[in-house]
Amino acid sequence: MKQTVYPIKDSNVLQEVQDTLLHNFRWGRRNLTIFQVGKATLLRVSDVLALQYHDVFDEQGQIKANAYIHDQKTGKPNNLYLKPVEQDLIQYQQWLSVNDIHSKWLFPSSENDKHIDGRQFYRIMQKVGDLLDINYLGTHTMRKTGAYRVYVQSNFNIGLVMNLLNHSSQSMTLKYLGLDRESTENILSHIDFG
């Protein structure tokens, strides 16, 4: 049975998920940073996990203003704006240094000299869901949550979200955001129709 993954719409639940990612795992700082980068860049999990250290940090160890990658699924170039996760990346870089972790991968596996893979991150998200009794978490949670937050905080700018997600239709984006009938009615009830 395929699990349905939804965005985290409640800010309190989002904070609980982030706290659990950080505090309930030996590599918690890495796990939280993966989540934060995925949420802020709206990348697919495969693209987040495949980031290399030099994609994000320059030769002096400073965070780049933008990271340039090619999406694995589409092959399209993607310019990642990193300012929203600058503090997360600084804390993560310090954690890597303190723990003497060196890898070409931004998010190395704890088991080998590769990056953490999607299955490993899926298990982490499932464990967070189990701990918090949330049944809709998965590897797409961060991308969907980021997209939902952009949608709401940009005053429901569906065109912006479509562009960030590389979607070709509004209906695809609305479905991706988990905007079911109840959510739509809730949004509509707060619109001043004059």
Side-chain angles (χ1 to χ4, degrees):
M1 184 169 104
K2 189 174 182 212
Q3 177 200 13
T4 303
V5 175
Y6 294 106
I8 302 169
K9 297 177 182 178
D10 183 295
S11 291
N12 294 324
V13 173
L14 179 59
Q15 189 60 55
E16 288 178 7
V17 167
Q18 292 169 168
D19 288 345
T20 303
L21 281 166
L22 179 61
H23 298 296
N24 289 72
F25 299 89
R26 189 169 63 91
W27 285 54
R29 178 59 62 186
R30 178 202 60 191
N31 299 342
L32 174 62
T33 308
I34 291 169
F35 188 81
Q36 298 296 78
V37 168
K39 188 171 46 132
T41 62
L42 278 63
L43 285 177
R44 289 174 186 86
V45 68
S46 57
D47 291 318
V48 173
L49 300 180
L51 286 170
Q52 293 191 17
Y53 191 85
H54 69 78
D55 291 329
V56 173
F57 295 99
D58 65 21
E59 290 176 6
Q60 290 75 39
Q62 301 298 310
I63 298 168
K64 295 179 179 180
N66 297 292
Y68 301 97
I69 67 161
H70 280 83
D71 291 344
Q72 290 181 9
K73 182 175 180 181
T74 65
K76 294 179 183 176
N78 200 335
N79 179 11
L80 311 177
Y81 182 57
L82 299 174
K83 187 150 182 69
V85 286
E86 192 172 54
Q87 279 307 113
D88 293 292
L89 288 168
I90 289 168
Q91 290 176 320
Y92 179 60
Q93 184 183 45
Q94 291 167 348
W95 179 84
L96 287 170
S97 178
V98 165
N99 288 282
D100 200 29
I101 298 170
H102 306 280
S103 174
K104 74 175 189 175
W105 303 108
L106 184 60
F107 301 116
S109 170
S110 60
E111 300 167 2
N112 52 44
D113 193 32
K114 296 181 180 176
H115 61 74
I116 179 174
D117 68 31
R119 287 184 313 278
Q120 288 173 292
F121 195 67
Y122 175 79
R123 286 192 296 271
I124 290 166
M125 292 303 295
Q126 288 297 291
K127 171 106 172 150
V128 170
D130 291 345
L131 290 169
L132 297 175
D133 198 26
I134 300 172
N135 67 356
Y136 58 85
L137 299 182
T139 55
H140 281 277
T141 298
M142 55 193 185
R143 178 172 154 96
K144 287 186 176 197
T145 300
Y148 181 80
R149 293 179 79 78
V150 169
Y151 178 68
V152 171
Q153 293 177 39
S154 69
N155 203 22
F156 312 105
N157 185 338
I158 193 68
L160 173 63
V161 178
M162 280 177 58
N163 183 44
L164 291 170
L165 293 172
N166 259 336
H167 283 173
S168 56
S169 73
Q170 285 188 9
S171 62
M172 176 191 298
T173 302
L174 289 170
K175 183 176 180 183
Y176 191 82
L177 292 171
L179 292 175
D180 53 17
R181 187 69 197 157
E182 180 183 335
S183 299
T184 302
E185 289 173 0
N186 185 34
I187 291 168
L188 288 173
S189 69
H190 291 92
I191 304 260
D192 179 3
F193 287 102

